[in-house]
Amino acid sequence: MAKDKLIGVDLGGTTIKFAILTDAGEIQQKWSIKTNTFDEGSHIVPDIIESINHHLDLYQLDPERIIGIGMGTPGTVNRETGTVTGAFNLNWKTEQPVKANIETGIGFKLTLDNDANAAALGEAWKGAGNNDDEVSFITLGTGVGGGLVSNGQLIHGTAGAGGEVGHVVVEPNGYLCTCGNHGCLEQYASATGVVRLAQDSAEEYVGSSKLKQMISDGDEVTSKIVFDLAKDGDFLANEVVNKVAYYLGYATAAISNILNPSAIIIGGGVAAAGEFLRARVEKEWTKFAFPTVRVSTRVKLAELGNDAGVIGAASLARV
């Protein structure tokens, strides 16, 4: 019997997403479960094992057809040992032998990588990257992550920190980042970064603005609210979006000038602002991009949404 099925797992701090795909990357079944982070995350791996085994039985899928399992996870992944460290949003306080435990519990080979890298592979393979070998991906959420694909392979670097695009410094001596440096992109283009820029900008702004009024009144302000107000013509909100676009354009141009990908793809929750954000980022990107890069690399929006992680994770098992 031909091996023609892949299993993808996208492990997140709130939800674990699963999918069964063809070897060509088409999703045939998908489901999700809540991430149980209690007891120092000790339930997470057993829950993954139980869920996959249950669904293989439910779908009556012959194990002989499974090529393997790929999984994207938060934290730092040691791809040689199959262990994960530093996944604090999973409540994993010590190194976790994820690969060994899952392989024992399910019986298939597991390939692990960082969740942002997995999403990058998904977009490169079946999304906006159009299966090109040169694709850069940046995801804007609570933080800023990314993955860089060159020669069809993820760039991991010597210690696994390749592709940490959220920590490109865009404002020397700027906001303090959780990594200990100052001025990282994550502090300006993440969902929390957008709000921080809005709050600081509101303090200096003396004109009329609904955004300023909301901040002055102590109302909850989110990145989505900032973008929605900007779309409605709020001057201050537009100034904030322009700043975000400047920092993103600067960082994505730096990445593009080094790697010259066919596409630099912007995804994640903040990118839900769509063309409204992409066009402004491209305008700034164009100012900083090397002339050859300017005509050969495209700034694009991600296309796969929440499926990028499971598709990219599944692609890890193709190796």
Side-chain angles (χ1 to χ4, degrees):
M1 187 175 288
K3 289 187 177 293
D4 60 352
K5 305 293 184 188
L6 299 163
I7 298 175
V9 183
D10 181 10
L11 173 54
T14 305
T15 305
I16 308 172
K17 302 182 186 73
F18 302 83
I20 297 172
L21 303 86
T22 66
D23 54 4
E26 302 303 320
I27 293 177
Q28 295 190 312
Q29 306 284 352
K30 63 179 179 178
W31 70 95
S32 65
I33 62 174
K34 288 187 176 180
T35 309
N36 183 353
T37 59
F38 289 109
D39 304 321
E40 297 192 359
S42 61
H43 303 284
I44 293 173
V45 168
D47 285 352
I48 290 171
I49 293 168
E50 192 278 330
S51 189
I52 291 176
N53 284 333
H54 169 71
H55 282 81
L56 290 178
D57 288 341
L58 183 67
Y59 301 134
Q60 298 182 329
L61 188 57
D62 191 323
E64 291 298 316
R65 297 180 67 180
I66 305 297
I67 297 167
I69 306 170
M71 186 166 101
T73 173
T76 301
V77 176
N78 185 320
R79 292 178 302 123
E80 291 182 10
T81 62
T83 57
V84 179
T85 54
F88 302 113
N89 61 334
L90 300 177
N91 204 16
W92 282 349
K93 297 176 180 176
T94 58
E95 187 175 54
Q96 302 291 312
V98 175
K99 177 180 170 71
N101 288 345
I102 290 181
E103 287 183 344
T104 299
I106 303 177
F108 304 129
K109 180 186 175 187
L110 174 74
T111 307
L112 273 176
D113 214 315
N114 174 267
D115 50 357
N117 280 346
L121 282 177
E123 282 292 341
W125 184 25
K126 303 300 292 185
N130 295 321
N131 204 24
D132 195 85
D133 283 348
E134 306 291 334
V135 176
S136 298
F137 175 72
I138 182 167
T139 177
L140 312 174
T142 308
V144 173
L148 309 175
V149 178
S150 185
N151 295 320
Q153 301 290 320
L154 280 166
I155 295 174
H156 289 100
T158 191
E164 287 286 357
V165 296
H167 298 286
V168 173
V169 174
V170 294
E171 186 66 72
N173 304 312
Y175 294 148
L176 176 65
C177 184
T178 53
C179 75
N181 285 341
H182 287 263
C184 294
L185 178 64
E186 183 167 287
Q187 297 304 310
Y188 297 88
S190 64
T192 48
V194 172
V195 173
R196 186 174 182 179
L197 274 176
Q199 290 170 335
D200 283 2
S201 298
E203 284 187 14
E204 302 169 0
Y205 184 65
V206 294
S208 175
S209 161
K210 184 174 180 182
L211 177 60
K212 180 178 175 65
Q213 189 64 51
M214 289 180 70
I215 291 170
S216 298
D217 291 345
D219 295 340
E220 182 187 9
V221 173
T222 64
S223 60
K224 183 180 185 302
I225 288 171
V226 173
F227 280 99
D228 286 346
L229 287 173
K231 289 175 183 177
D232 288 342
D234 186 282
F235 182 84
L236 177 61
N238 267 291
E239 288 297 293
V240 173
V241 172
N242 285 338
K243 285 184 181 179
V244 173
Y246 165 81
Y247 290 122
L248 279 169
Y250 181 89
T252 52
I255 295 164
S256 301
N257 290 346
I258 294 168
L259 294 173
N260 188 203
S262 64
I264 185 148
I265 300 167
I266 304 171
V270 175
E275 182 62 18
F276 184 77
L277 175 62
R278 191 212 64 82
R280 295 189 191 204
V281 172
E282 185 177 61
K283 181 181 176 182
E284 300 297 336
W285 175 89
T286 301
K287 295 176 186 176
F288 299 114
F290 184 67
T292 307
V293 170
R294 210 175 293 148
V295 296
S296 56
T297 297
R298 292 184 61 200
V299 179
K300 302 176 75 174
L301 291 170
E303 296 176 355
L304 297 179
N306 287 333
D307 289 339
V310 287
I311 292 173
S315 76
L316 293 167
R318 294 193 301 161
V319 180

